[in-house]
Amino acid sequence: MTLRDSNTTPGPRIWPVGALCRAVADALDARFNPVAVRGEISGFSRASSGHCYFALKDDSGQLRCAMFRRAAGLLDFSPRDGDQVEVRGRLAVYEPRGDLQLVVESLQRAGQGALFEQFLQRKARLEAEGLFDAERKRALPVMPRAVGLVTSLGAAALHDVVTALRRRVPHIPVVLAPAAVQGASAPGELVRALQSLYALKPTVDVILLVRGGGSIEDLWAFNDETLARTIVQSPVPLICGVGHETDFTIADFCADLRAPTPTAAAELVSAPQAMWLGAIDLLGERLQDALDTRLDVLGQRLDQAASRLGRPSTLVARQQLRLAHHSQRLRYAVLSRTERLAHAPRSISADFPRKLERALAERRDRLERVALRLKLLDPALVLQRGYAWLTGADGRAIVSARKLNPGDAVVARLADGSVDLTVTPGKTGTRPTPGS
């Protein structure tokens, strides 16, 4: 039995609050879901749980929305208040408060579908031509001498970039080439601004192409094909810092480097002055340490050389000591020689007779030995044994019979006299006969 059946008084049905909320939710689900809505984001917030809460509004109404963490994780950009978006989801009733809300299942910028498809087609064509090749992209200069900047004079990006450069590298000049960054005329102005920087003499060392965030329509100028080809022709490295970290344009892919924000682009080319001063201080310390070490080594070598050389006074004292030693030795030598010479006459007079007698005895012995040897060589001793000594007429000894001719006169000396002989004919080597 229902409450209506138990009440006999005619009238509207009485609902419990929760039941009515569920009934309304069922009716909405059956009547409208799924639903797609276009409007402007208002009051966007992201809870620590990852869920997002905001309102969609237009001139005539407002609708509370909830996007749970799973759907929020699929977003390719960061929604902000004021963004025109298209959402798809389901209408529901939040029963604890009885509020109507749209549970968002997908969210994209308004009009993104057709533009995004055009973006993908253009990106694929330019990539096939090689405009995005990593091989042609150049490294950034470590210490640029001048920075070129292309952006709008009224853009917040100009203030952000100039502030960052002034804070980090106030000594580096910035050359500004202003151009519109949104609207139908923006692509042509951006191209002319870049070409003006290319023609500078002397040229800048790096170029920054920057713009703040916005919808895909706001950033569409940076997807222009002519601008892409102009970026590729840059004679110096070019950094593109357009939009926020989740925003991508054709210019990002053509540039030598993409920065997530304009401020990040400025920071990429401007290492803080304090860092370079710190590096210089570090190099100075290292140089001083190296110099101190070198001086220590040379000081040790000098100390070693000084220890070997000694002080001049020490060297002079050492030489004086050596000179005194040699002088003393010389004096003793002279005295010893003098004493020996003084004793020499007395020793000579005392030893002279004995030495003279001994010398004479030695001479007599030698003479006797020589006389004996000479006597042994005397031919007369040989003649006494029956031999004869033959000489020619000239008195020369005859030692060969072949030198004699018949009739030659020969003298034969014997032990007790001599005999004259004449050579007669006969055989060579025969004994000659004595003559008269």
Side-chain angles (χ1 to χ4, degrees), residues 118-119 122-123 125-126 131-132 180-181 183-192 194 209 216-232 248-254:
Q118 185 178 352
F119 167 80
R122 185 173 298 172
K123 176 176 177 293
R125 185 175 69 256
L126 296 179
L131 269 66
F132 306 161
V181 293
S185 64
E189 291 189 30
L190 290 170
V191 169
R192 289 190 292 273
L194 287 175
L209 177 62
I216 190 172
E217 295 90 346
D218 297 336
L219 304 180
W220 192 249
F222 294 90
N223 292 321
D224 183 76
E225 184 172 340
T226 303
L227 177 61
R229 298 186 185 279
T230 303
I231 291 174
V232 172
F248 283 89
T249 65
I250 298 295
D252 291 322
F253 298 105
C254 294

Side-chain angles (χ1 to χ4, degrees), residues 7 18 27 100 182 217-218 240 253 278 291 296 304 352-353 355 395:
N7 191 349
L100 174 66
Q182 184 175 343
E217 295 90 346
D218 297 336
C240 183
F253 298 105
L291 181 60
D296 290 342
Q304 293 174 358
F352 180 72
K355 291 182 177 180

